[in-house]
Amino acid sequence: MSRAILPPLAPTLLREPLSAPPPPPTPLPTQTRPEGAGLGPPSGRRRWQRTLARSMFVTDAASISLAFGLAYLLWIGPQPAEITFAGLDYWVLSVGFVLAWLAATTVFRTRDHKLLGAGAAEHQALAKATFFVFGWVAIISLLFRWNLSRGYLLLAFAIGFGLLLASRLAWRVWLRRRRSRRRLVARTLVIGGTRSARTMAARFETDPSSEFALIGLWVPDRSAIPDESLHVGGLTIPVRGVETDLSAILDLGGIDTVVVTDTEHLGHDGMGELAWELEGREIDLLVAPNILDVAGPRIHVDAHGAMPLIYLSKPTYSAARTFRKAMFDRCIALGALTLAAPVLITAALAVRLNGSGPIFYRSERIGRNGRPFQMLKLRTMVDGADRMRADLESSHDGAGPLFKLVDDPRVTAVGRFLRRYSIDELPQFVNVLRGEMSVVGPRPPLRTEVDLYDDTVRRRLLVQQGVTGLWQVSGRSDLSWEDAVRLDLTYVENWSMLRDLHIIARTARAVFLGRGAY
């Protein structure tokens, strides 16, 4: 291959070690990218990853140590303990348990850079490490008939796991804020076509937890047009083709990750050569299968004939119709109504005092398999608001069949507050108890919306509609029609009980912040 040198793609990525501010980017004479990234000196990615992992180890150790310390004080007492186990004071046992738990968090790779900011995957790794330790403690105690204090262990387990999750949440928030400013990211070169690169760049830009920042595209089967670039949002991504040697691009440095989206034109030999080309460089190699909105549990990699193949499981929406899911929904709904009763009663009184009209608003919605039901909400608009909708159709802010209006004149002052914190939706838990809705699911549509559905969008009706869902935790009313549909279909095709629990936890944060509700 020729050794043509690729012109610089863009200013150097901002780099942020944990202990010092990043050096200012150096402008180069060709393509520019506001607040962006480009080829240049090594980013120090490995260094900040190791530093972050060590910092997380310190917070993990502090969380686990605090948990056992509190368990000791709360269950055994602050005085020198007369309670011992095999002649050992529980303080000594606590040290052993802390070391074992920390070792498990390392063995299960809970601080791996691939999990940073991943949310559910990070929580799953922590849960595995925690249950591994306490599971073996229970098994060994049973086999050898050790009379360990169950209350002490239960307290340590509950406090420790809670503190670990809280500390990781704090780290995740901190990391997302840095990445929103193009810091602590992996500068990524895409090998493939412009269509795949454009989709990938758009997805990375809208995902605050993504560690990837696209800095360039190398098209392996054609020459690039002079000064060709991809424009995605506020990004300018330079494009290079076969006139530029790939090894020359890699030699310039500043690349942390290579993502291959077009394996066909590289071929088996080309992929092998690329893997060897990256040998000895601090560059990760990823292969994108061009599959969108498919959850990890549905993707399995198997090898046949020394060739890796991706096995894509069928959509899991049928599992969302089981008795287990129904009982889970009803338990959550009953608990939510019980805990929120004072808030619900106060809100109902506020609606009544705010003007004439009923306290509750009943709206026909279309549920699973197209069955209609009456959805309950606290009334947030003036009485007779539905009759006023025709006059507002020309100025609504929605797209497709979705009707929404940022400054809807029909919303009352009390209603605006109730909507901001989703208090008006609490009566929908009654629909859940009736079996008409689920706690988590797609957004309940109106009949007029369903009449405009095509066959693809109609898949939203394969499961029960939800009080909350991916649409609720991903922007609420700020979402476009296309994004709302994509999120609902993603939920339908990738349902799992763990996913429901994760969405419920994210809903609490979205409601507390009150963003995207009007």
Side-chain angles (χ1 to χ4, degrees):
M1 293 189 294
S2 63
R3 302 292 292 181
I5 300 298
L6 175 68
L9 295 183
T12 305
L13 250 189
L14 293 177
R15 301 170 306 274
E16 181 186 54
L18 297 181
S19 58
T26 303
L28 295 175
T30 55
Q31 305 291 337
T32 60
R33 174 181 171 187
E35 293 191 279
L39 298 178
S43 66
R45 178 192 181 198
R46 302 296 184 191
R47 183 176 66 255
W48 67 253
Q49 284 178 350
R50 288 191 295 266
T51 304
L52 183 56
R54 287 193 293 266
S55 301
M56 294 175 70
F57 178 84
V58 172
T59 58
D60 287 351
S63 299
I64 297 172
S65 300
L66 181 59
F68 278 99
L70 289 174
Y72 183 93
L73 294 175
L74 293 173
W75 192 259
I76 298 176
Q79 302 300 322
E82 297 180 359
I83 304 175
T84 61
F85 173 76
L88 297 174
D89 185 88
Y90 269 85
W91 274 119
V92 179
L93 291 175
S94 296
V95 174
F97 287 138
V98 168
L99 295 177
W101 200 346
L102 276 176
T105 61
T106 301
V107 170
F108 283 89
R109 304 177 67 85
T110 65
R111 293 175 288 275
D112 190 281
H113 73 89
K114 299 182 185 67
L115 298 181
L116 297 180
E122 188 177 15
H123 295 165
Q124 188 175 15
L126 284 173
K128 287 181 179 179
T130 301
F131 283 101
F132 176 83
V133 172
F134 283 87
W136 273 107
V137 169
I139 292 172
I140 294 174
S141 299
L142 182 63
L143 290 176
F144 292 93
R145 298 183 179 180
W146 290 349
N147 190 25
L148 282 168
S149 173
R150 294 180 180 86
Y152 160 77
L153 290 176
L154 182 61
L155 273 175
F157 167 82
I159 297 173
F161 190 56
L163 289 175
L164 282 175
L165 293 180
S167 67
R168 293 306 180 88
L169 174 61
W171 278 115
R172 192 157 57 251
V173 171
W174 179 88
L175 187 60
R176 288 185 178 186
R177 289 176 179 173
R178 296 303 183 278
R179 286 177 172 171
S180 68
R181 298 195 293 269
R182 302 287 191 277
R183 302 176 182 225
L184 302 185
V185 293
R187 299 185 289 187
T188 303
L189 175 71
V190 173
I191 298 177
T194 56
R195 181 180 178 183
S196 297
R198 186 184 302 277
T199 301
M200 187 173 294
R203 291 298 182 96
F204 290 162
E205 284 301 300
T206 57
D207 182 5
S209 64
S210 175
E211 69 170 309
F212 302 109
L214 265 62
I215 62 171
L217 169 64
W218 188 72
V219 185
D221 60 347
R222 68 169 177 84
S223 297
I225 302 171
D227 298 324
E228 182 179 1
S229 299
L230 285 180
H231 299 279
V232 181
L235 302 179
T236 299
I237 304 171
V239 179
R240 295 295 179 266
V242 294
E243 76 283 353
T244 305
D245 186 74
L246 177 61
S247 60
I249 301 176
L250 300 176
D251 286 341
L252 289 177
I255 298 176
D256 300 309
T257 303
V258 170
V259 178
V260 180
T261 64
D262 189 350
T263 58
E264 174 64 25
H265 290 91
L266 283 180
H268 302 297
D269 294 337
M271 286 296 298
E273 291 179 7
L274 176 60
W276 279 108
E277 189 74 37
L278 300 180
E279 178 68 20
R281 306 175 189 262
E282 290 189 351
I283 301 177
D284 294 331
L285 175 61
L286 304 177
V287 179
N290 290 321
I291 300 173
L292 298 179
D293 299 321
V294 177
R298 289 183 57 202
I299 299 175
H300 310 275
V301 179
D302 199 1
H304 295 275
M307 181 173 63
L309 299 176
I310 294 178
Y311 179 81
L312 187 63
S313 300
K314 294 178 180 179
T316 56
Y317 61 85
S318 59
R321 303 175 177 178
T322 60
F323 176 77
R324 179 185 60 164
K325 164 73 168 173
M327 291 304 298
F328 169 82
D329 284 337
R330 284 169 169 80
C331 289
I332 294 293
L334 186 60
L337 287 173
T338 301
L339 293 175
V343 175
L344 189 56
I345 293 172
T346 303
L349 289 174
V351 172
R352 169 61 71 187
L353 296 174
N354 191 54
S356 61
I359 294 176
F360 295 102
Y361 169 74
R362 291 172 172 83
S363 174
E364 184 191 61
R365 299 300 172 103
I366 306 302
R368 190 175 70 190
N369 297 329
R371 289 194 296 268
F373 68 96
Q374 293 294 316
M375 189 183 74
L376 296 175
K377 296 180 67 174
L378 288 173
R379 184 174 59 85
T380 59
M381 293 185 176
V382 297
D383 192 22
D386 288 341
R387 295 189 297 271
M388 302 167 60
R389 174 171 169 171
D391 298 331
L392 300 171
E393 285 285 350
S394 60
S395 58
H396 81 92
D397 303 303
L402 189 63
F403 178 88
K404 58 183 180 180
L405 199 60
V406 176
D407 294 316
D408 197 324
R410 301 173 297 169
V411 179
T412 64
V414 170
R416 200 168 299 280
F417 177 83
L418 297 181
R419 286 186 170 202
R420 179 175 179 82
Y421 296 101
S422 297
I423 299 173
D424 61 314
E425 297 177 2
L426 289 176
Q428 292 174 32
F429 286 113
V430 175
N431 292 114
V432 177
L433 292 178
R434 292 176 179 174
E436 299 166 335
M437 292 179 65
S438 176
V439 174
V440 182
R443 187 186 64 83
L446 295 166
R447 183 181 294 275
T448 54
E449 297 174 14
V450 174
D451 290 342
L452 299 175
Y453 283 1
D454 58 23
D455 291 338
T456 299
V457 181
R458 193 169 291 274
R459 293 204 298 266
R460 300 170 80 188
L461 304 180
L462 291 173
V463 300
Q464 283 185 327
Q465 314 307 292
V467 178
T468 185
L470 280 176
W471 50 273
Q472 173 82 314
V473 300
S474 303
R476 302 166 83 180
S477 297
D478 285 337
L479 290 174
S480 65
W481 164 250
E482 292 77 12
D483 287 338
V485 170
R486 178 178 60 83
L487 290 172
D488 281 344
L489 293 181
T490 298
Y491 174 82
V492 170
E493 296 178 5
N494 301 283
W495 179 86
S496 71
M497 191 68 74
L498 182 62
R499 194 178 185 89
D500 274 5
L501 291 171
H502 188 233
I503 291 174
I504 291 172
R506 290 178 61 190
T507 299
R509 179 175 181 270
V511 170
F512 177 77
L513 294 176
R515 294 175 180 169
Y518 45 84

